[in-house]
Amino acid sequence: MMQYDDLLSRAIARASKRGSIRQAALKIGVTDVHLSRLVRWRETQNFPSNELLFKIAELAGEDKIKSHFAIMAAKLKEPELSTVYERLAS
């Protein structure tokens, strides 16, 4: 199952050989501070807009619809619904 953390990790890893958040942010078109908040979503509760999500998905080499489901799974506080969204992201 694709998870939101995996999507962000793949995007950052593909942005540079060292997995630089700064380089990934430049390729996505946001500041490195903003991308760091998205990576720390559990504490910040920040998620990308659909437009930004599609850029992240493209950088990660993932399908944008499946990526949307992965974010929905992370956003929801209901574990049963989150599991369903994670399956849809696969």
Side-chain angles (χ1 to χ4, degrees), residues 8-54:
L8 290 173
S9 294
R10 277 194 288 277
I12 292 167
R14 290 184 67 176
S16 71
K17 290 183 180 180
R18 289 187 271 169
S20 166
I21 286 182
R22 176 168 282 159
Q23 288 182 352
L26 286 172
K27 289 183 179 182
I28 295 167
V30 297
T31 66
D32 54 335
V33 171
H34 183 71
L35 185 56
S36 292
R37 288 182 184 139
L38 298 177
V39 169
R40 294 184 347 264
W41 64 271
R42 285 180 183 85
E43 65 183 72
T44 65
Q45 292 303 304
N46 285 337
F47 294 94
S49 65
N50 283 334
E51 179 183 343
L52 186 55
L53 166 65
F54 298 153

